[in-house]
Amino acid sequence: MDLATVIGIVVAFALVFLSIVMGSGLGVFVDYPSIMIVMGGTLGATMINHPLKEVFSVFNVAKHCFFTKPWNSSEIIPMFIELANKARKEGILALESELGNIDDEFLAKGLQLAIDGIEPDSIREILETEVEYLEERHRTGGEIMNTMATFFPAMGMIGTLIGLVQMLQTMSDPSTIGPAMAVALLTTFYGAIGANLLCIPMAGKLRKRSKEETAIKEMIICGIMAIAGGDNPRIIEQKLLVFVPPNSRQSAFK
């Protein structure tokens, strides 16, 4: 679980709610018509903007903000060195026994292609195509979040206009001014909360996750191509260290 996402959401909402409770009380900021306008309007507008399948998939995409743990380069490099040593000593077919111990489907697929004797150029083409479609799926999820971030404040503004119209139409009855004004102001509040505390930060985290996952997969492709080409483990390590920041590079060969 990504603690930064969880802590960020908890802290942001906790401080907002705490300031509300200290000022007046939480009940004052709960208005069901305002919630219906903002949530319903945002969901409906998002469905108009995107296919229904993509809208429903946003929940699975959002999970990457909380539960995705990208591989660490310090785990990948020693693994490839070990695989390269075994391939050089026993032949690349010996790596088939290691496939059951690999949880990552992308890595297992790449190794299987190398074991099957596929041409290196074909292996690279297949794996890079998969990375391209992965980026496209991530891009779609980020676009939906950005779309919702755009519609949340817009729906809040629509709710504000509705509340103001209702208030102006009933100015002769002072008892109706308060509820109408509540709708006018709370819709803007809900829209700002939904956009700035949820959608925009989560879209940013998804972009970060996508870049991290893409970089790891590029690193895996480089390692698989090196093994398929029969490179020396020391050379494979140097190729993979290119993906690691200079201040974090550590060689297993002294």
Side-chain angles (χ1 to χ4, degrees):
M1 178 175 288
D2 185 80
L3 291 179
T5 302
V6 176
I7 293 174
I9 291 177
V10 170
V11 169
F13 277 94
L15 291 177
V16 171
F17 289 149
L18 182 61
S19 64
I20 291 173
V21 172
M22 292 175 63
S24 57
L26 192 59
V28 179
F29 284 80
V30 177
D31 185 80
Y32 295 109
S34 299
I35 294 174
M36 291 169 60
I37 291 171
V38 174
M39 298 300 296
T42 299
L43 182 59
T46 303
M47 288 182 177
I48 296 172
N49 196 77
H50 293 277
L52 189 62
K53 183 179 180 181
E54 291 183 0
V55 174
F56 286 142
S57 69
V58 74
F59 299 104
N60 289 327
V61 173
K63 291 192 300 185
H64 291 287
C65 295
F66 297 92
F67 300 108
T68 300
K69 182 181 178 182
W71 277 33
N72 194 305
S73 57
S74 62
E75 302 172 348
I76 295 177
I77 295 177
M79 179 184 62
F80 269 107
I81 292 175
E82 183 179 346
L83 291 172
N85 280 323
K86 185 168 185 176
R88 285 176 64 85
K89 292 178 182 178
E90 305 175 29
I92 195 168
L93 292 178
L95 297 183
E96 194 160 11
S97 62
E98 299 291 332
L99 294 178
N101 301 325
I102 298 175
D103 296 328
D104 187 82
E105 294 182 2
F106 184 81
L107 173 57
K109 179 179 180 178
L111 285 177
Q112 185 65 67
L113 292 173
I115 293 169
D116 291 341
I118 307 297
E119 289 294 325
D121 289 342
S122 297
I123 295 176
R124 178 179 291 278
E125 182 179 355
I126 292 171
L127 296 181
E128 287 184 347
T129 301
E130 186 164 336
V131 172
E132 288 177 6
Y133 278 97
L134 172 73
E135 291 178 324
E136 182 61 30
R137 291 194 298 271
H138 288 178
R139 190 178 301 112
T140 299
E143 286 177 358
I144 294 176
M145 285 292 181
N146 285 324
T147 298
M148 294 178 69
T150 301
F151 286 139
F152 261 120
M155 291 302 111
M157 182 59 65
I158 290 175
T160 298
L161 295 175
I162 291 172
L164 291 176
V165 170
Q166 292 174 342
M167 183 183 68
L168 292 174
Q169 285 183 337
T170 58
M171 288 292 288
S172 58
D173 185 1
S175 64
T176 62
I177 296 177
M181 197 63 186
V183 173
L185 296 178
L186 288 177
T187 49
T188 300
F189 174 72
Y190 293 151
I193 289 290
N196 295 289
L197 293 189
L198 287 177
C199 292
I200 294 177
M202 290 178 72
K205 180 58 70 74
L206 288 174
R207 286 194 298 271
K208 177 67 174 177
R209 285 279 184 268
S210 179
K211 290 180 180 179
E212 290 175 348
E213 191 168 353
T214 300
I216 290 297
K217 282 183 166 37
E218 292 291 345
M219 188 177 185
I220 290 174
I221 291 174
C222 180
I224 291 172
M225 297 300 297
I227 289 178
D231 288 351
N232 185 285
R234 188 185 295 272
I235 295 177
I236 292 178
E237 182 191 56
Q238 293 303 314
K239 288 183 176 181
L240 297 182
L241 283 176
V242 173
F243 295 88
V244 181
N247 58 351
S248 301
R249 295 176 183 174
Q250 293 182 352
S251 175
F253 301 95
K254 306 298 183 181

